[in-house]
Amino acid sequence: MAAQVLAAVGRGLPATPAARRGVLVERADQLLADGTAVLDRYDEPGQWQVEGRAWAARLRAEHLRVRWLAGVEQPEREQLVEAWDAAVDGFAALGHVPELTRVRTSYSAILRTLGDTAAARHHGDLAREAAHRLGATVLLDELRAIGSTPTRSAEPAHQRLTARELEILALVADGRSNGEIGRQLFISTKTVSVHVSNILGKLGAGGRTEAAAIARREGLLG
């Protein structure tokens, strides 16, 4: 809940008068402290699984965004980017498409402001494709507002996917879980989850079953 409230504060900050921003930053600090207190209270081995870690990363990322936008003890660029990378990775590992789409949308705006247009376009395109599948008109409007323009490729699917993504897609189509794929390819389950998320975005698939169907239809399985 604290992460969600911080996200709302971050969205509203650009339109907030300078005189009011200090108050919002104080409230943001309190939300971070409250969320951290919960994390510390239940910080036992195995207590926080993938979902808990994803929301913890989102909490930290949203708090840094508030301070960055408010201009109060602003985080370094690297610190801000690392925090948002962790939030993206967290929800990709969780496989929670709606929250991953929200995080990518916010991150795209941050990267565009930082001048990293290539990374902003990457996250914006993935967010837009997912938002279209979800029917998330609010996120689509937000993406248009931040200047994230569609870059849909006319290339065949086999050219849009990397060699590693094609390899993982074949295993997904074979019904393998992320854990099984990771063990076979000697990579982490988290890394597999990120690849699967990117594959779904590039194919415009709503899930693993649809991705497998597209792969078979377009002859991507070798």
Side-chain angles (χ1 to χ4, degrees):
M1 186 175 291
Q4 294 279 29
V5 174
L6 281 171
V9 172
R11 287 192 296 271
L13 256 176
T16 301
R20 288 278 303 160
R21 293 187 178 187
V23 175
L24 290 179
V25 169
E26 289 178 4
R27 293 179 180 175
D29 289 347
Q30 186 59 57
L31 286 166
L32 176 67
D34 291 344
T36 302
V38 173
L39 290 171
D40 291 344
R41 180 175 181 180
Y42 297 101
D43 186 16
E44 300 175 0
Q47 178 69 43
W48 294 107
Q49 301 302 319
V50 177
E51 184 173 12
R53 292 193 293 271
W55 281 106
R58 175 87 178 275
L59 176 69
R60 289 188 287 269
E62 293 289 3
H63 177 259
L64 288 177
R65 176 170 68 151
V66 168
R67 283 198 165 274
W68 175 65
L69 290 171
V72 178
E73 297 180 15
Q74 287 180 303
E76 296 292 331
R77 176 192 177 105
E78 293 76 13
Q79 183 184 13
L80 183 66
V81 169
E82 286 177 5
W84 279 89
D85 277 339
V88 169
D89 289 348
F91 283 103
L94 179 61
H96 195 307
V97 176
E99 286 304 328
L100 177 59
T101 305
R102 291 187 183 94
V103 171
R104 285 195 188 279
T105 298
S106 297
Y107 193 20
S108 178
I110 291 169
L111 289 167
R112 190 169 295 276
T113 302
L114 291 173
D116 192 343
T117 54
R121 184 177 300 112
H122 168 72
H123 287 284
D125 285 350
L126 290 175
R128 184 182 304 100
E129 289 173 351
H132 274 297
R133 296 198 306 271
L134 295 168
T137 56
V138 172
L139 291 180
L140 290 170
D141 289 344
E142 188 173 340
L143 286 162
R144 281 191 289 269
I146 64 177
S148 178
T149 56
T151 58
R152 290 183 179 274
S153 174
E155 293 179 319
H158 73 276
Q159 293 179 14
R160 297 200 302 273
L161 299 179
T162 66
R164 175 63 95 182
E165 287 168 347
L166 286 169
E167 186 176 21
I168 290 174
L169 176 59
L171 293 171
V172 168
D174 197 36
R176 306 289 183 85
S177 69
N178 286 354
E180 290 171 333
I181 294 171
R183 287 190 291 274
Q184 179 167 336
L185 301 181
F186 302 101
I187 57 178
S188 71
T189 301
K190 177 180 175 181
T191 298
V192 175
S193 296
V194 173
H195 279 306
V196 170
S197 176
N198 290 337
I199 291 168
L200 296 182
K202 289 181 179 182
L203 294 180
R208 300 166 80 95
T209 301
E210 185 178 359
I214 293 171
R216 294 188 181 93
R217 184 176 69 239
E218 300 197 14
L220 303 180
L221 303 181

